[in-house]
Amino acid sequence: MEIGVIGTGYVGLVQGVILSEFGMNVTCMDVSEDKINKLNCGEIPIYEPGLKEMLSKNFQAKRINFTTNIKSVVEKSEIIFIAVGTPSNEDGSTDLNYVRDVARDISKYINGYKVIVIKSTVPVGTSNLIKELISDELKKRDFNIDFDIVSNPEFLREGKALKDCMNPDRIIIGSESEKAKTIMKNVYDVFNINQTPFVFTNLETAEMIKYASNSFLAVKISFINELALLSEKVGADIQVIARAMGMDGRISSKFLHAGPGYGGSCFPKDTKAIVDVGNKNKEEMFVINAAIKANEKQKQKMVQKIALNINENGNLKNKIIGILGLSFKPETDDMRDAPSIDIIEGLVRAGAKIQAFCPEGMKEAKWRLEHVNKSVKYMNDEYEVAKDADAIVIITEWAQFRAMDLKKIRENMKDSYFFDLRNVYSKKREIMMTDFKYFGTGI
Ligand code: NAD
């Protein structure tokens, strides 16, 4: 089976590599020459555990290849996955320009029946828009070719993308065409070793499932974060509360970890997008809107907590703050909407100098934080971060920060503030009580 994947980012690359791993012939296309050149030289443009090894095996076996030439991909592929970015516009609506560009390109080069699969997260109604766009272009050229549109949203988590893609909890196939549904089932059946359930539905429902799922998780995070703020004030322990809540089968323990706020390339933009769709349809999304506001507040609360504990007037002039973890979560280099950006900006505004380290996020951080780069130094490890620092702040819980040599960290520091925004350590741990001024989140 010849498969084309258009957009070779976190989603497209992982999808392409996995399809090739299960024996399909895959061509991944991207407009970024730099990305495609790197991939053709065996270099991976993103950090995703296990991806490099799986890619190089299939690349050598010639089951996957990379190109910037969309014409060749459209012409030879029976199934075309669209996995380009769908970022937010300033007003929170979704920028569909990349998806539209691809649709126009497909309409130019389509040469026979194709299943066009929208993997990008797109607002409800987009799949139909794409169908109309392609049909209109074909009509203009008086070209009569059959094609079907499928909405097949992706649920992978960065850092666990290969596992998630190979063992999804469910496979959503939205389409009006029985033929396309069968073709898609055949594709997924090849690697559906664990008998993952399929949900066959229409385009609109498939599109909404993705937003409903991400918004629900964002609400859950904002909910526990808000309770964490209250717990701190009333002497309760959010970790015990979350554990007890999670024991209730109706609630589940997942996504109940208090922290500095959600970030990444999906939750912030997808929550804003569904609110925008609500507004356009005159249905205000009160709950999701509240989650967005609570998330913004959470990041600012972290800045206040750090600043006000170090200095009661919140001024951090001449203070050095060591930041551990910049990526929006561990095991990824993705810095899109990472809470670290807002927190660092806030600390710099309060006058602090920052020393930061992240195992994979620093390359991205350097340009995303360019506007404050005069106040930010990037270090080689956690012990360098601690050098002469007044405070350490764990923003992202990379595994290597879980068993640091805390004696050495303290010896390197000037003062002893330790802000553990992910509750990696315990305030009851002896060294935290004796050597540090320890602050967790919601405890
Ligand atoms: P990404 O930015 O990593 O990758 C998108 C790629 O598309 C880029 O490499 C870009 O150069 C390419 N591109 C843009 N216009 C193009 C065009 N006209 N032709 C060919 N290539 C083009 O984005 P991503 O994180 O992979 O996300 C892609 C989509 O999947 C988004 O809609 C996102 O919301 C959704 N999604 C992402 C995740 C995730 O964890 N990253 C999970 C589920 C769904």
Side-chain angles (χ1 to χ4, degrees):
M1 201 176 284
E2 283 288 343
I3 307 241
V5 180
I6 301 181
T8 310
Y10 288 87
V11 168
L13 182 57
V14 169
Q15 180 76 16
V17 168
I18 285 174
L19 292 171
S20 69
E21 172 79 4
F22 284 87
M24 297 175 216
N25 289 325
V26 181
T27 305
C28 288
M29 182 269 161
D30 204 286
V31 282
S32 161
E33 278 187 23
D34 180 50
K35 230 174 223 187
I36 295 300
N37 288 342
K38 277 191 179 136
L39 286 161
N40 277 325
C41 295
E43 241 184 273
I44 305 258
I46 56 169
Y47 175 75
E48 183 60 47
L51 188 59
K52 193 173 169 58
E53 297 73 17
M54 196 184 277
L55 169 61
S56 66
K57 185 176 81 180
N58 290 293
F59 189 63
Q60 275 160 28
K62 296 195 178 0
R63 278 191 295 267
I64 187 163
N65 61 84
F66 301 96
T67 182
T68 54
N69 182 342
I70 190 151
K71 181 173 184 282
S72 65
V73 182
V74 173
E75 283 176 353
K76 75 176 172 188
S77 307
E78 298 156 59
I79 302 172
I80 303 169
F81 284 89
I82 302 179
V84 295
T86 47
S88 291
N89 289 314
E90 280 287 309
D91 62 359
S93 62
T94 305
D95 178 354
L96 288 173
N97 281 326
Y98 304 109
V99 178
R100 282 203 201 93
D101 287 349
V102 175
R104 269 184 220 106
D105 283 338
I106 292 176
S107 72
K108 251 187 252 166
Y109 303 120
I110 190 167
N111 57 348
Y113 176 76
K114 313 276 174 195
V115 180
I116 300 164
V117 186
I118 303 185
K119 258 231 164 284
S120 299
T121 304
V122 292
V124 60
T126 306
S127 301
N128 267 325
L129 279 181
I130 296 306
K131 190 173 175 181
E132 276 167 32
L133 192 156
I134 298 175
S135 297
D136 288 350
E137 291 292 324
L138 291 175
K139 251 186 232 148
K140 272 188 221 159
R141 286 164 41 214
D142 208 11
F143 205 38
N144 191 12
I145 277 194
D146 195 19
F147 68 94
D148 281 313
I149 299 277
V150 170
S151 168
N152 172 222
E154 179 54 57
F155 296 92
L156 65 79
R157 292 163 298 175
E158 287 172 20
K160 297 187 172 111
L162 290 184
K163 184 174 155 277
D164 285 352
C165 239
M166 284 193 282
N167 306 284
D169 290 330
R170 72 296 205 195
I171 298 164
I172 311 295
I173 311 279
S175 184
E176 317 305 337
S177 152
E178 288 309 313
K179 179 176 169 186
K181 282 181 186 169
T182 308
I183 293 174
M184 289 305 291
K185 183 166 187 305
N186 289 342
V187 170
Y188 277 105
D189 271 345
V190 174
F191 65 96
N192 192 3
I193 316 158
N194 294 332
Q195 300 294 303
T196 299
F198 285 86
V199 178
F200 292 104
T201 182
N202 63 17
L203 290 168
E204 290 80 2
T205 309
E207 290 168 332
M208 280 288 281
I209 288 169
K210 174 66 188 174
Y211 284 98
S213 305
N214 274 3
S215 304
F216 185 78
L217 295 175
V219 167
K220 213 173 167 190
I221 296 171
S222 279
F223 177 88
I224 203 71
N225 283 341
E226 196 163 69
L227 285 183
L229 295 176
L230 182 59
S231 296
E232 277 178 27
K233 295 214 165 133
V234 299
D237 183 331
I238 199 66
Q239 285 193 284
V240 180
I241 296 169
R243 200 162 70 86
M245 282 174 71
M247 287 169 185
D248 186 329
R250 295 169 302 175
I251 296 174
S252 128
S253 58
K254 291 186 179 155
F255 285 79
L256 274 187
H257 302 284
Y262 61 76
S265 67
C266 292
F267 290 180
K269 89 169 165 64
D270 294 350
T271 45
K272 283 187 234 155
I274 187 84
V275 165
D276 176 66
V277 171
N279 290 340
K280 283 177 177 147
N281 286 279
K282 301 203 170 19
E283 278 307 334
E284 197 172 343
M285 298 287 108
F286 285 106
V287 175
I288 303 170
N289 230 335
I292 296 171
K293 285 189 189 140
N295 196 55
E296 288 311 310
K297 180 178 91 172
Q298 188 71 8
K299 291 182 276 186
Q300 294 318 315
K301 281 277 180 179
M302 299 298 116
V303 175
Q304 285 168 18
K305 178 182 188 155
I306 296 163
L308 293 175
N309 276 297
I310 294 177
N311 184 349
E312 61 186 21
N313 67 19
N315 189 338
L316 294 178
K317 199 156 182 269
N318 299 325
K319 301 289 180 194
I320 297 178
I321 313 285
I323 301 284
L324 297 179
L326 295 165
S327 53
F328 86 95
K329 64 170 168 174
E331 296 299 329
T332 181
D333 57 348
D334 200 344
M335 283 288 300
R336 288 177 283 186
D337 276 324
S340 64
I341 297 176
D342 294 63
I343 294 173
I344 288 174
E345 282 170 354
L347 295 173
V348 168
R349 258 198 312 275
K353 295 276 178 221
I354 304 293
Q355 297 182 161
F357 169 71
C358 182
E360 295 293 337
M362 292 203 290
K363 193 167 155 223
E364 276 278 298
K366 281 179 191 165
W367 73 264
R368 288 188 187 269
L369 284 164
E370 209 172 7
H371 52 295
V372 288
N373 258 356
K374 269 197 205 135
S375 304
V376 183
K377 268 203 312 202
Y378 294 91
M379 317 305 274
N380 289 314
D381 61 31
E382 46 274 49
Y383 302 102
E384 258 189 46
V385 162
K387 197 108 187 60
D388 300 324
D390 293 280
I392 289 289
V393 183
I394 300 183
I395 298 187
T396 313
E397 70 282 29
W398 282 82
Q400 73 185 73
F401 302 148
R402 289 184 181 275
M404 295 189 291
D405 181 342
L406 292 170
K407 279 261 171 249
K408 194 167 154 191
I409 293 280
R410 179 64 192 94
E411 278 161 20
N412 284 1
M413 290 174 71
K414 192 161 84 201
D415 205 337
S416 62
Y417 291 94
F418 196 111
F419 297 94
D420 184 0
L421 306 189
R422 299 283 184 175
N423 293 333
V424 169
Y425 293 93
S426 163
K427 71 172 178 185
K428 293 191 189 120
R429 192 163 164 175
E430 201 187 336
I431 190 166
M432 286 305 174
M433 293 197 283
T434 55
D435 293 28
F436 290 96
K437 294 169 213 152
Y438 178 86
F439 301 85
T441 297
I443 49 175

